[in-house]
Amino acid sequence: METPAVPMPRDARELAVLQHLVEIRDKLLLLKQDRTTYIRSQDILPLYDQTIAQVKELNAIRAETGATDENRVDKVLEGCFQLLSLFYLTIGRNDEAPATYALTSTIKRLLDHLIEANLYSAKDLESIKATLEQLSTNINRSGNDHTPGPQHSPYLLELLSKRVERCTATLAKLQKRLSALDEASLPTYEKLISILRSISYANTRSKFSSTEVQKLQKQLYEIGEKNNGGKFIVPGSESPGAATMQEVKGDVPEPFRETYRALLGIRNELEKLSLTQAWSLRETDLYDFQRKLDKIDESRENGNFFDDKSRPADLWTQRTMLYLIRRSYAYIYSFILSSEPVSEALLPVYNQLQTLKRCLLEVKNNGGVSSVRELYPYSMKLASLDNMRVDGKFVINGDIPEGQSSVSELLAECFDLNYDLRVAADADSVPPAE
């Protein structure tokens, strides 16, 4: 199930470009693996500039030779851009053009899978549509000479614009399919999508309740009875999924078990990260997950998985493994979207302030405090974080990391909440006039 080998470049000059790109990628991988220190802008920006220089060289060579076939250079270059994109998120430069590359890759995978599955809801498309619009805005802003901030390579901006355009075109196809449904059919369709995903999730669990399965079956039967005895209005929504799940009981055939376990492991790791993301995830960690998923996804032929003897997976195995792939890509998408525009070095401070803000809001929403004394722990924590600033800036190990404005705004919000609670407590403590 290995993906086809990518040919090496024939031109000697492209080989030189390849060597330089491999060196850049290896440096990025070493930085990614180093957990002893924070990633800094000055670590990443020179490698970005070196990558762009190699891209210019490659374009000049291909303009001269007329070569258009993809080779090893393109694959390594893609890896460099993918890593650089995640590093830009790590250092808090989320709104700059290079940061959008990784997200467009994940969106393309998600949209391609939705086209293939032909089972999705309007909610699946709403978030992607809004994200693509924001990415387009960020790219256009980066290409505007009058926009403050760093300017980026026209090649990169053109590449990103085309990626967003391709994703937008695929999204339009998906939206067109949904528009063919009449409003009366939509609730039934949405319910069927929900049931199918519940079945797919249960398929990937080592144990599941027979009662749970029976509930899903009952829902399917009820929908079938309301839709002409099971002749559904929505094409492709009929599914023997619950019955299939009971019959197979979660067993994957031996030839596909290794791939299944790999996908299950990826999904489970990402699921755990979703619970502790703010405190434990470095955006560059997503690179390894993406690469593993891409390799498995690209190993399919005509949409299906094949064993060593070129025998295709049965329908249940295919659907179950595709569910795991799609769910994992969805986790990566959500992680990138929720990445804060704050450098990794400032993230501990930012996360503490986020927690402090939630606590203060909880106190406020539950009637405030009975005395100012109850606010002392919050006030002391705010003071300790505020004292970290030097001339109004948070300084970490002698550096001024990206994301200063986001952290300062959050700090100000916490001070305001704390002040409002203090004023309310003082007012309540004043005895009424006789």
Side-chain angles (χ1 to χ4, degrees):
M1 292 183 62
E2 293 291 328
T3 53
V6 180
M8 294 291 286
R10 296 179 179 179
D11 191 292
R13 292 171 297 175
E14 283 203 26
L15 280 170
V17 171
L18 174 61
Q19 183 178 352
H20 287 303
L21 288 173
V22 168
E23 291 173 359
I24 294 169
R25 185 196 60 189
D26 290 347
K27 289 177 182 177
L28 290 167
L29 288 172
L30 285 173
L31 279 172
K32 180 181 79 68
Q33 294 164 5
D34 185 6
R35 289 281 186 172
T36 62
T37 185
Y38 293 121
I39 302 298
R40 305 173 303 167
S41 295
Q42 52 264 46
D43 298 324
I44 303 305
L45 299 185
L47 293 173
Y48 167 76
D49 292 336
Q50 292 172 33
T51 303
I52 294 301
Q54 293 306 311
V55 168
K56 291 178 181 177
E57 178 68 18
L58 180 63
N59 284 347
I61 294 169
R62 291 184 174 176
E64 181 182 327
T65 62
T68 56
D69 293 339
E70 187 177 271
N71 59 41
R72 182 69 178 159
V73 177
D74 299 279
K75 281 294 181 183
V76 175
L77 180 60
E78 181 190 359
C80 289
F81 276 136
Q82 195 83 2
L83 280 164
L84 286 166
S85 178
L86 294 171
F87 270 116
Y88 262 72
L89 294 173
T90 304
I91 61 177
R93 297 191 170 210
N94 300 41
D95 294 333
E96 293 187 31
T100 66
Y101 190 95
L103 192 51
T104 58
S105 298
T106 305
I107 289 174
K108 183 181 183 302
R109 294 278 180 179
L110 286 172
L111 291 173
D112 287 345
H113 276 286
L114 290 179
I115 286 281
E116 181 182 4
N118 197 24
L119 289 168
Y120 53 91
S121 66
K123 291 180 181 178
D124 296 330
L125 306 183
E126 288 171 3
S127 172
I128 293 178
K129 180 176 181 292
T131 303
L132 287 172
E133 290 173 352
Q134 183 59 53
L135 291 180
S136 183
T137 299
N138 292 347
I139 294 167
N140 292 334
R141 186 189 300 121
S142 297
N144 189 339
D145 294 336
H146 302 293
T147 302
Q151 299 295 309
H152 293 283
S153 163
Y155 165 82
L156 177 66
L157 298 178
E158 182 182 359
L159 172 66
L160 292 171
S161 294
K162 287 180 178 178
R163 290 168 72 89
V164 171
E165 286 170 9
R166 284 195 293 269
C167 289
T168 303
T170 305
L171 178 66
K173 292 178 184 177
L174 291 164
Q175 290 173 321
K176 186 176 180 181
R177 288 184 185 180
L178 277 186
S179 66
L181 296 173
D182 59 83
E183 290 188 12
S185 301
L186 280 175
T188 301
Y189 179 77
E190 297 278 351
K191 183 64 176 176
L192 283 168
I193 296 295
S194 175
I195 293 172
L196 283 169
R197 288 178 178 170
S198 297
I199 292 171
S200 296
Y201 176 70
N203 275 336
T204 63
R205 288 159 54 187
S206 57
K207 295 181 181 179
F208 53 81
S209 166
S210 58
T211 305
E212 180 183 348
V213 179
Q214 289 166 5
K215 286 181 180 179
L216 293 171
Q217 281 185 315
K218 184 180 178 181
Q219 292 177 42
L220 285 171
Y221 292 147
E222 288 175 353
I223 293 174
E225 289 172 2
K226 294 177 182 178
N227 289 268
N228 302 319
K231 296 178 182 177
F232 294 90
I233 297 172
V234 182
S237 47
E238 309 90 331
S239 173
T244 303
M245 184 172 64
Q246 279 195 312
E247 180 184 345
V248 179
K249 295 188 181 299
D251 292 332
V252 175
E254 181 62 36
F256 303 100
R257 201 161 292 170
E258 183 179 349
T259 303
Y260 172 78
R261 286 172 179 163
L263 288 171
L264 191 62
I266 292 170
R267 196 282 307 269
N268 289 345
E269 284 188 60
L270 291 169
E271 194 170 53
K272 289 177 184 176
L273 278 174
S274 69
L275 303 176
T276 59
Q277 176 193 359
W279 300 95
S280 60
L281 178 68
R282 176 189 270 186
E283 284 82 355
T284 50
D285 295 340
L286 299 176
Y287 178 80
D288 292 331
F289 292 115
Q290 285 180 318
R291 281 301 180 220
K292 290 175 185 176
L293 287 170
D294 291 350
K295 184 177 180 180
I296 294 173
D297 197 20
E298 290 166 8
S299 72
R300 296 189 294 142
E301 298 176 22
N302 298 320
N304 204 349
F305 297 91
F306 288 81
D307 63 15
D308 295 335
K309 296 180 181 179
S310 300
R311 294 174 300 191
D314 61 82
L315 183 60
W316 180 87
T317 301
Q318 180 191 5
R319 284 184 176 177
T320 301
M321 293 205 292
L322 285 177
Y323 165 78
L324 288 171
I325 291 176
R326 290 163 187 159
R327 190 76 191 100
S328 298
Y329 277 127
Y331 272 124
I332 292 173
Y333 171 75
S334 67
F335 289 151
I336 295 176
L337 272 191
S338 57
S339 173
E340 300 290 353
V342 175
S343 173
E344 180 187 28
L346 268 184
L347 209 51
V349 177
Y350 187 82
N351 288 335
Q352 289 179 65
L353 287 170
Q354 288 275 44
T355 303
L356 194 54
K357 180 182 175 182
R358 283 194 293 270
C359 291
L360 289 168
L361 283 172
E362 189 72 19
V363 170
K364 183 178 180 180
N365 294 334
N366 283 281
V369 294
S370 56
S371 75
V372 174
R373 187 183 298 275
E374 294 178 44
L375 292 173
Y376 283 175
Y378 305 110
S379 300
M380 290 174 65
K381 185 61 180 178
L382 280 172
S384 69
L385 293 174
D386 191 33
N387 289 337
M388 293 177 63
R389 294 198 287 181
V390 178
D391 296 329
K393 301 285 186 182
F394 287 94
V395 180
I396 310 293
N397 296 332
D399 293 322
I400 300 177
E402 304 282 346
Q404 296 286 330
S405 60
S406 296
V407 178
S408 295
E409 286 173 13
L410 189 54
L411 179 63
E413 287 180 40
C414 290
F415 269 120
D416 288 343
L417 282 168
N418 193 55
Y419 177 77
D420 291 343
L421 288 167
R422 181 183 294 273
V423 169
D426 285 338
D428 291 340
S429 64
V430 175
E434 296 183 2

